[in-house]
Amino acid sequence: MKNELTNKLEDLLDFQGIATESIHLSSDKVEQAIKISNQIPNELRQWQTYLNGLALFGFEQWLEERGTDNLTVNFADASIFNPVLSNSIPAVCNLNINQFKVCLITQGSFIDEEVSLPRAVVDLPEFAHHLYVVVEVQEELETVVINSFISYADLIRNKTQLNLMPDEDWDYQIPWSWFDTEIDNLLLYLRCLDVAGISLPEVQTKSNNLAVAKAELTKLLPQLSAQNLWEFFNWEQGKTILTNLELLNWIYNWQLQIETEQGSIPNNLVEITENSENSLSNLSKYLPDLLNLLTEPTINVGRWLKNELDDFANELSWVLLPELSALSPMRGISCPTEEIAGIIRELTKNGVYIPPHARVAYHDLLLAGIPLRLYALTWSLVSDSTLEWMLLLILSTPTGIGLPEKIKLRVSDAKGILVEQKLNSNEDDFYIFTNVVGSWNEKFIATVYLTPENQETFPPFEFNP
């Protein structure tokens, strides 16, 4: 098959054709593909991941055998090495060769007259590639054949002209006639063509699709078991999920835990305990935190260091207290400045370091008729040119009655629950506290929990001085 880009390249040089031949895989590459696939829940997705691993290693060997002196090859970000992506997209994405984004489409047999391309790598800008390479995997023979390829420009042009529609399983069935079977042209593209010759769609800034779908996803996602996404969600929901890697990570851990508890995944891959951060109960509890982190406006505690509250914090009735040096050392009950000064003094005696430049604000809340107060202290940390920040949260009762016995203070980030602090049963505590550290681009979300019906989650905290 000839196209405009090929014609342009053939005008540049006379390239000697290379015969298509099988690439035999070594046993260690086969073993590596098996190990990679074992990280995937669901047997069918495991098998596809195994074939994808063989395809990648065969493609890598094919490039090496044809000489890569004038090719810059980087497969470190390949989706096959990221089980979160491999669990959701049945292709090998994110290969980088001379700045070309290359996607491998694995075929086990070429009896079919069409090639299945996942809709995600065609319709979503986040997963669009300059070149799509079809790799035939002869699994029983442990060999692969680099069969054919198509550019993104040709793919989209043909798809548009023929008004090609995807199947219900989120795959496009692409006719073989669209692909260039003169595989030497692939090397010609990679060696001679300017990457700008194949334009890709721009990835748009995050829309409010996730915010709109948040309530629905909060309900639906915990009902997902081992199914593929297309079996459970419509494409609009699928687009929202596939373009949020944090949600894909949650789904992967959820499905992995389900498969592990059913005995389908080796126990050494996932620790099955009630308190494990990836237990089903913790993942279920964490999901609302994650969705709030991804959708809710934030409180910028970095402004506190400039003696300012942002507009959002003002709207929520947060109160910024004076600098620590101006706080009264007396331990008060209802007066926030005296109460926090007394708590800071006790924390310092117990080895909790709070620097003089830290700033503190508080917010009063009512939970199950119980008055509570959440203090948030923050300060910046700089070490080895790394910019980090500290968030110290203190939950107290301004009435002096003492905290309810079952109350908890939970803090999460975009990866999971970081800590869930509760009262020490041996003491009649008037406050509980916890602290977390993150880089300046990290956010944290806090929840005060009494019962499933009585809990309050605060907007995410961020640090942007």
Coordinates of all heavy atoms in Angstrom, one line a residue, residues 60-88:
E60 N 11.5 -5.4 19.7 CA 12.8 -4.9 20.1 C 13.9 -5.6 19.5 O 14.9 -5.0 19.0 CB 12.8 -5.0 21.7 CG 14.1 -4.4 22.3 CD 14.0 -4.5 23.8 OE1 13.5 -5.5 24.3 OE2 14.6 -3.6 24.5
Q61 N 13.8 -6.9 19.4 CA 14.9 -7.7 18.8 C 15.0 -7.5 17.3 O 16.1 -7.4 16.7 CB 14.6 -9.2 19.0 CG 15.7 -10.1 18.5 CD 15.5 -11.6 18.9 OE1 14.9 -11.9 20.0 NE2 15.9 -12.5 18.1
W62 N 13.8 -7.3 16.7 CA 13.8 -7.0 15.2 C 14.5 -5.7 14.9 O 15.3 -5.6 14.0 CB 12.3 -6.9 14.8 CG 12.1 -6.6 13.3 CD1 12.2 -7.5 12.3 CD2 11.7 -5.3 12.8 NE1 11.9 -6.9 11.1 CE2 11.6 -5.5 11.4 CE3 11.5 -4.1 13.3 CZ2 11.3 -4.5 10.5 CZ3 11.2 -3.0 12.4 CH2 11.0 -3.3 11.1
L63 N 14.3 -4.7 15.7 CA 15.0 -3.4 15.6 C 16.5 -3.6 15.8 O 17.3 -3.0 15.0 CB 14.5 -2.3 16.5 CG 13.1 -1.8 16.3 CD1 12.6 -0.9 17.4 CD2 13.0 -1.0 15.0
E64 N 16.9 -4.3 16.8 CA 18.3 -4.5 17.0 C 19.0 -5.3 15.9 O 20.1 -4.9 15.5 CB 18.5 -5.3 18.3 CG 18.1 -4.6 19.6 CD 18.2 -5.4 20.8 OE1 18.4 -6.7 20.7 OE2 18.0 -4.9 21.9
E65 N 18.3 -6.2 15.3 CA 19.0 -7.0 14.2 C 19.1 -6.2 13.0 O 20.0 -6.5 12.1 CB 18.1 -8.3 14.0 CG 18.2 -9.3 15.1 CD 17.3 -10.5 14.8 OE1 16.7 -10.5 13.7 OE2 17.3 -11.4 15.6
R66 N 18.3 -5.2 12.8 CA 18.4 -4.3 11.6 C 19.2 -3.1 11.9 O 19.3 -2.2 11.0 CB 17.0 -4.0 11.2 CG 16.4 -5.1 10.3 CD 14.9 -5.3 10.5 NE 14.5 -6.4 9.7 CZ 14.6 -7.7 10.1 NH1 15.2 -7.9 11.3 NH2 14.2 -8.7 9.4
G67 N 19.8 -3.0 13.0 CA 20.7 -1.9 13.3 C 20.0 -0.6 13.8 O 19.1 -0.1 13.1
T68 N 20.3 -0.2 15.0 CA 19.6 1.0 15.6 C 20.6 2.1 15.8 O 20.4 2.9 16.7 CB 18.9 0.6 16.9 OG1 19.9 0.0 17.8 CG2 17.8 -0.4 16.6
D69 N 21.7 2.1 15.1 CA 22.7 3.1 15.3 C 22.2 4.6 15.1 O 22.5 5.5 15.8 CB 23.9 2.9 14.4 CG 24.7 1.7 14.7 OD1 24.5 1.2 15.9 OD2 25.4 1.2 13.9
N70 N 21.3 4.7 14.2 CA 20.7 6.0 13.9 C 19.3 6.1 14.4 O 18.5 6.9 13.9 CB 20.8 6.3 12.4 CG 20.1 5.3 11.6 OD1 19.7 4.2 12.1 ND2 19.9 5.6 10.3
L71 N 18.9 5.2 15.4 CA 17.6 5.3 16.0 C 17.8 5.5 17.5 O 18.6 4.8 18.1 CB 16.8 4.0 15.7 CG 16.4 3.7 14.3 CD1 15.6 2.4 14.2 CD2 15.5 4.8 13.8
T72 N 17.0 6.4 18.0 CA 17.0 6.5 19.5 C 15.7 5.8 20.0 O 14.6 6.2 19.7 CB 16.9 8.0 19.9 OG1 18.0 8.7 19.4 CG2 16.9 8.2 21.4
V73 N 15.9 4.7 20.7 CA 14.9 3.8 21.1 C 14.7 3.9 22.6 O 15.6 3.7 23.4 CB 15.1 2.4 20.6 CG1 14.0 1.5 21.1 CG2 15.3 2.3 19.1
N74 N 13.4 4.2 23.0 CA 13.1 4.2 24.4 C 11.8 3.5 24.7 O 10.8 3.9 24.3 CB 13.0 5.7 24.9 CG 12.8 5.8 26.4 OD1 12.7 4.7 27.1 ND2 12.7 7.0 26.9
F75 N 11.9 2.3 25.3 CA 10.8 1.5 25.7 C 10.5 1.5 27.2 O 9.6 0.8 27.6 CB 11.0 0.1 25.2 CG 11.0 -0.1 23.7 CD1 11.3 -1.3 23.2 CD2 10.6 0.9 22.9 CE1 11.3 -1.5 21.8 CE2 10.6 0.8 21.5 CZ 11.0 -0.5 20.9
A76 N 11.1 2.4 27.9 CA 11.0 2.4 29.4 C 9.6 2.7 29.8 O 9.1 2.2 30.8 CB 12.0 3.4 30.0
D77 N 8.9 3.5 29.0 CA 7.5 3.9 29.4 C 6.4 3.0 28.7 O 5.2 3.4 28.7 CB 7.3 5.4 29.0 CG 8.1 6.3 29.7 OD1 8.4 6.0 30.9 OD2 8.5 7.4 29.2
A78 N 6.8 2.0 28.1 CA 5.9 1.1 27.4 C 4.8 0.6 28.4 O 5.1 0.3 29.5 CB 6.6 -0.1 26.8
S79 N 3.6 0.6 27.9 CA 2.4 0.3 28.8 C 2.5 -1.1 29.3 O 1.9 -1.5 30.4 CB 1.1 0.5 28.1 OG 1.0 -0.3 26.9
I80 N 3.2 -2.0 28.6 CA 3.3 -3.4 29.1 C 4.0 -3.5 30.4 O 3.8 -4.5 31.2 CB 4.1 -4.2 28.0 CG1 4.0 -5.7 28.3 CG2 5.6 -3.8 28.0 CD1 2.6 -6.2 28.0
F81 N 4.8 -2.5 30.8 CA 5.5 -2.5 32.1 C 4.7 -1.8 33.1 O 5.1 -1.7 34.3 CB 6.9 -1.8 32.0 CG 7.8 -2.5 31.0 CD1 8.3 -1.8 29.9 CD2 8.1 -3.8 31.0 CE1 9.2 -2.3 29.0 CE2 8.9 -4.4 30.1 CZ 9.4 -3.7 29.1
N82 N 3.5 -1.3 32.8 CA 2.6 -0.7 33.7 C 1.3 -1.5 33.8 O 0.4 -1.3 32.9 CB 2.3 0.8 33.3 CG 1.4 1.5 34.2 OD1 0.8 0.9 35.1 ND2 1.4 2.8 34.1
P83 N 1.1 -2.3 34.8 CA 0.0 -3.2 34.8 C -1.4 -2.4 34.8 O -2.4 -3.0 34.4 CB 0.2 -4.1 36.0 CG 1.1 -3.3 36.9 CD 2.0 -2.6 35.9
V84 N -1.3 -1.2 35.3 CA -2.6 -0.4 35.4 C -3.1 -0.2 34.0 O -4.3 -0.3 33.7 CB -2.3 0.9 36.1 CG1 -3.5 1.8 36.0 CG2 -2.0 0.6 37.6
L85 N -2.1 0.2 33.0 CA -2.5 0.4 31.7 C -2.8 -0.9 30.9 O -3.8 -1.0 30.2 CB -1.5 1.2 30.9 CG -1.4 2.7 31.3 CD1 -0.2 3.3 30.5 CD2 -2.7 3.4 31.0
S86 N -2.0 -1.9 31.2 CA -2.1 -3.2 30.5 C -3.5 -3.8 30.8 O -4.1 -4.5 30.0 CB -1.0 -4.1 30.9 OG 0.2 -3.7 30.4
N87 N -3.9 -3.5 32.0 CA -5.2 -4.1 32.5 C -6.4 -3.5 31.8 O -7.5 -4.1 31.8 CB -5.4 -3.9 34.0 CG -6.6 -4.6 34.6 OD1 -6.8 -5.8 34.4 ND2 -7.4 -3.8 35.3
S88 N -6.2 -2.3 31.2 CA -7.3 -1.6 30.6 C -7.3 -1.4 29.1 O -8.3 -1.2 28.5 CB -7.4 -0.2 31.3 OG -7.6 -0.3 32.7

